[in-house]
Amino acid sequence: MKFFNWTLTFQFVVLALLVYIALTSLSLFLFKGGLNEALDDQLNSLLAEQSQLIEFNGKNLNWLAGDSSGFHSQFVRPQASYQLFDSTGKILGSHGSYHCATLFIKSQEIRGEPLTYRSKSLPLIIGDKEVGYLQVELPTTQRDELMLKYAITICGVTLLGFGLLSVAGYNYSKEAAKPIFDSYEMLKQFSTDVAHELNTPISTIRATAENMSEELSEPEALKTRLEVINRALDRMNVIVKDLMLLTRLGMESEKPTREAEQIDLRKLVNDVVDEFKDRFQQKSIALRSKIEGSPMVMGHQDPLHRMLANLLENALRYTDAEGEVHVDLFTDHNIATITVSDTGIGIPEESVPKIFDRFYRVDKARTRDQGGSGLGLSIVKAIGTMHNAEIDVESEIGKGTKFIVSVPVAKSKS
Ligand code: ADP
């Protein structure tokens, strides 16, 4: 699991890094473009100022006379240098120390030592004739410093960001992967349990069949063996049927295929109690019911019938002769409650939270002998979930168990 989390985090961070590199490159590119535009604006205004000091005498271009150095100090910009070209691109004069005597029609970067310069030219037009060009150069120091600062800031923020992202990514992947792992673990456990449950009757059938081959001449012994085989097959049949029902209930809960209908709980409880009466009598257990009102709930007849039947089946199975089982139905605050309480063996406190798990049994040997599949209460829980019911259990070892099923009422028949 840890390895999976780290792999997921690593993939997440690498992906984020790639996206980040792409976005940062784009932002640096755009930022540099913006700074170049600002620099070009500066070059343009220098060209516009300086071009006013150029005169054309009909033949040649000249700088107008300025101060003692021949230059107009009011237009001097520190670090700026100017060059004057004729219309063929031949240099005519310059001011300031320039780095390239070539005329560039478009903005150009010139790599000098130790600085880089950006130059821009302006065509000088007299009438409608291009008589020459004025070019200006400015060092890109300020722009480069800003770019460097921006890049350093971004790198710092990146390191911090990726540190936080890795921690968050690890925690996130742990959380995201947990349900997958839980389901995987459950599936593994479930497959092991099913294999184990089916293995017992299969082993019984195999061993009995092997013995049968030695008893072919003894019809009585053969009959007993066949009964054993039949019982084992019945057990397998119950397990497989219950498993199929659980799958169907799970699918039905997720995606109902039938419309819910109004179910009369009074009738349902009476029907199930009637069905069980004889079996309780045979085991000398008193089965009593107390029904108040006729609450109607929205749901499905067969699953609700099965839920109550499973609870009664368990009450019958885990209560000894001369015991009592009560089935009660009452309504309170729009909640219909069915309770099935017995005076049976009870469930140890630590087992109560586990009894709804598939194949969980408090006493494996005893319940298998009594024909339980270990899926009865899982089915009860699945049907309860399907009907938005709450199921509680109260139990005391040696005294008995009470299952309390509470279902929201649709309406009550008067
Ligand atoms: P089983 O087929 O084994 O009865 P269930 O899922 O119905 O499987 O029940 C799970 C376990 O819960 C049982 O094996 C039993 O140990 C315990 N149990 C369920 N109902 C009762 C009860 N009424 N009294 C005592 N123990 C019970």
Side-chain angles (χ1 to χ4, degrees):
M1 166 109 176
K2 249 194 177 146
F3 176 72
F4 179 77
N5 285 340
W6 278 117
T7 315
L8 213 66
T9 309
F10 178 73
Q11 286 174 356
F12 170 65
V13 171
V14 167
L15 196 73
L17 192 69
L18 290 178
V19 172
Y20 176 81
I21 289 172
L23 288 178
T24 308
S25 310
L26 183 69
S27 81
L28 280 172
F29 175 76
L30 294 175
F31 186 61
K32 191 172 178 183
L35 290 178
N36 279 344
E37 257 177 45
L39 199 58
D40 284 349
D41 285 349
Q42 213 181 337
L43 291 170
N44 280 338
S45 62
L46 288 179
L47 284 169
E49 281 172 3
Q50 201 59 223
S51 64
Q52 293 167 32
L53 305 175
I54 308 287
E55 63 167 8
F56 182 64
N57 60 13
K59 211 169 163 216
N60 294 319
L61 283 167
N62 288 310
W63 253 291
L64 286 176
D67 57 15
S68 54
S69 67
F71 200 62
H72 291 261
S73 52
Q74 75 267 32
F75 290 139
V76 172
R77 292 289 178 275
Q79 298 175 310
S81 62
Y82 303 89
Q83 301 127 61
L84 192 60
F85 296 90
D86 67 11
S87 56
T88 63
K90 195 177 131 215
I91 190 153
L92 299 174
S94 68
H95 280 298
S97 51
Y98 63 91
H99 296 84
C100 187
T102 315
L103 169 68
F104 300 108
I105 303 295
K106 286 186 175 166
S107 298
Q108 185 73 31
E109 300 260 320
I110 304 150
R111 201 161 288 277
E113 267 307 323
L115 302 174
T116 300
Y117 294 83
R118 190 170 176 88
S119 82
K120 200 162 191 315
S121 63
L122 174 78
L124 300 168
I125 297 166
I126 305 290
D128 53 2
K129 199 171 162 228
E130 227 170 62
V131 292
Y133 295 91
L134 179 64
Q135 185 162 277
V136 63
E137 269 181 13
L138 265 183
T140 58
T141 323
Q142 215 185 356
R143 181 203 69 186
D144 295 343
E145 273 173 9
L146 275 172
M147 281 293 293
L148 190 68
K149 267 189 198 158
Y150 183 63
I152 289 174
T153 312
I154 280 195
C155 282
V157 171
T158 307
L159 277 181
L160 188 73
F162 273 92
L164 293 173
L165 207 64
S166 305
V167 176
Y170 182 74
N171 286 328
Y172 182 71
S173 68
K174 218 159 88 178
E175 280 307 303
K178 197 173 175 300
I180 304 170
F181 270 92
D182 287 352
S183 307
Y184 174 66
E185 286 299 321
M186 261 172 66
L187 201 68
K188 240 169 47 180
Q189 185 60 44
F190 178 65
S191 311
T192 314
D193 289 344
V194 173
H196 182 72
E197 289 298 323
L198 292 177
N199 193 39
T200 314
I202 288 172
S203 305
T204 309
I205 294 170
R206 174 173 295 144
T208 315
E210 276 169 14
N211 287 336
M212 277 170 83
S213 60
E214 293 158 16
E215 295 166 342
L216 289 174
S217 55
E218 301 167 48
E220 271 314 301
L222 274 182
K223 206 175 147 210
T224 319
R225 299 279 183 210
L226 278 174
E227 278 167 9
V228 173
I229 289 181
N230 264 332
R231 276 203 300 278
L233 284 172
D234 283 347
R235 252 186 72 65
M236 284 169 74
N237 196 22
V238 171
I239 293 172
V240 171
K241 271 189 171 166
D242 281 358
L243 279 174
M244 281 162 64
L245 175 65
L246 267 174
T247 313
R248 233 185 16 252
L249 288 169
M251 287 183 346
E252 190 75 12
S253 281
E254 279 171 20
K255 209 171 157 205
T257 50
R258 292 174 294 166
E259 281 280 308
E261 49 187 358
Q262 294 221 1
I263 309 289
D264 183 348
L265 285 189
R266 179 186 201 91
K267 185 172 178 314
L268 184 103
V269 173
N270 274 331
D271 286 352
V272 180
V273 168
D274 281 349
E275 273 167 37
F276 274 85
K277 246 180 194 145
D278 289 348
R279 290 175 65 200
F280 274 83
Q281 216 171 11
Q282 278 164 19
K283 209 179 159 185
S284 302
I285 300 170
L287 174 62
R288 299 199 171 92
S289 61
K290 190 169 143 212
I291 299 176
E292 290 171 14
S294 284
M296 307 291 284
V297 296
M298 291 307 286
H300 305 282
Q301 178 73 27
D302 291 347
L304 282 172
H305 189 106
R306 177 70 192 260
M307 177 163 80
L308 192 54
N310 277 12
L311 292 176
L312 275 173
E313 190 74 55
N314 280 351
L316 178 66
R317 193 176 290 152
Y318 302 110
T319 305
D320 292 328
E322 309 309 325
E324 275 182 31
V325 171
H326 288 257
V327 184
D328 296 340
L329 167 68
F330 59 90
T331 311
D332 189 22
H333 288 91
N334 264 343
I335 299 287
T337 304
I338 302 172
T339 62
V340 178
S341 41
D342 60 53
T343 55
I345 59 171
I347 304 167
E349 208 182 321
E350 67 279 8
S351 295
V352 171
K354 302 180 201 157
I355 55 173
F356 292 97
D357 293 350
R358 292 173 182 196
F359 298 117
Y360 180 81
R361 296 173 177 108
V362 176
D363 179 348
K364 289 198 173 12
R366 175 174 173 157
T367 46
R368 278 215 189 99
D369 288 349
Q370 289 176 333
S373 68
L375 294 169
L377 288 180
S378 311
I379 292 172
V380 168
K381 190 178 159 194
I383 298 171
T385 308
M386 198 177 164
H387 289 85
N388 298 321
E390 230 175 69
I391 303 170
D392 292 311
V393 188
E394 292 168 6
S395 190
E396 209 176 314
I397 284 285
K399 288 212 163 156
T401 305
K402 185 177 187 179
F403 283 90
I404 306 152
V405 182
S406 311
V407 202
V409 173
K411 68 167 189 188
S412 253
K413 253 199 214 167
S414 48

